Amino acid sequence: MDGFEIRKVRSGDAAAVSRISSEDLGYPCDAALVEKRIANLDGRREAVFVAVADGAVIGYIHVERYELLYYESMANILGIAVRQEFRRRGAGKALLCAAEGWAKENAISVMRLNSGSSRTDAHAFYRHLGYDAEKEQKRFLKHI
């Protein structure tokens, strides 16, 4: 895709990130919450990059340092989404490359991400970029 750039997220991107999260990722959220989260990002352990075309945010990726007692440090993709009408034009790949670059800058050599079992198009995208499905698992939540 020509004509887009990848940059770090700014507070003014909150409404667009909220809209993408809700409409394209399927996780409804409030722009005020996203703005608060952006303001409180901990640059020592996480980063958010956005893809911008014609001045509008068309996608984002959120990556964090993931530390386990039993494995080397990994970069965990917490979320990646591109607006439907901009998919298959290179923005998703560029966002993943930005996250991988952040990982390398932070001496991390393993990337990790989870993807819902119904997101088969996303799975093909990740495999195309060299990501392997390691295991099947269930996610358990409890609201307390």
Side-chain angles (χ1 to χ4, degrees):
M1 174 177 168
D2 293 328
F4 74 91
E5 70 169 309
I6 304 297
R7 63 165 170 77
K8 286 198 172 183
V9 72
R10 300 175 186 151
S11 61
D13 299 328
V17 170
S18 172
R19 186 172 46 258
I20 293 166
S21 295
S22 298
E23 296 174 5
D24 298 288
L25 195 55
Y27 295 110
C29 63
D30 181 70
L33 173 66
V34 175
E35 187 171 13
K36 180 179 176 183
R37 295 287 195 246
I38 290 171
N40 291 318
L41 286 172
D42 180 351
R44 295 169 295 167
R45 64 164 206 81
E46 65 184 325
V48 177
F49 299 95
V50 294
V52 179
D54 295 325
V57 173
I58 62 165
Y60 77 92
I61 191 166
H62 185 185
V63 60
E64 72 168 350
R65 176 180 289 276
Y66 188 70
E67 302 283 349
L68 299 167
L69 293 174
Y70 54 86
Y71 200 82
E72 65 185 289
S73 297
M74 293 182 271
N76 187 33
I77 304 299
L78 295 173
I80 178 172
V82 174
R83 285 178 39 195
Q84 179 70 37
E85 62 268 30
F86 289 95
R87 291 183 188 162
R88 301 185 187 279
R89 298 184 189 182
K93 180 180 179 180
L95 288 165
L96 269 173
C97 287
E100 291 171 3
W102 176 88
K104 289 175 185 174
E105 289 172 8
N106 286 278
I108 299 170
S109 61
V110 178
M111 299 297 294
R112 175 186 190 272
L113 63 86
N114 293 322
S115 182
S117 59
S118 65
R119 298 183 189 272
T120 55
D121 286 347
H123 302 165
F125 168 71
Y126 300 136
R127 284 186 182 98
H128 177 74
L129 294 178
Y131 287 73
D132 292 318
E134 179 187 44
K135 64 181 175 179
E136 297 283 327
Q137 66 185 127
K138 299 274 186 197
R139 181 177 76 168
F140 295 87
L141 296 177
K142 178 181 179 182
H143 293 274
I144 54 171

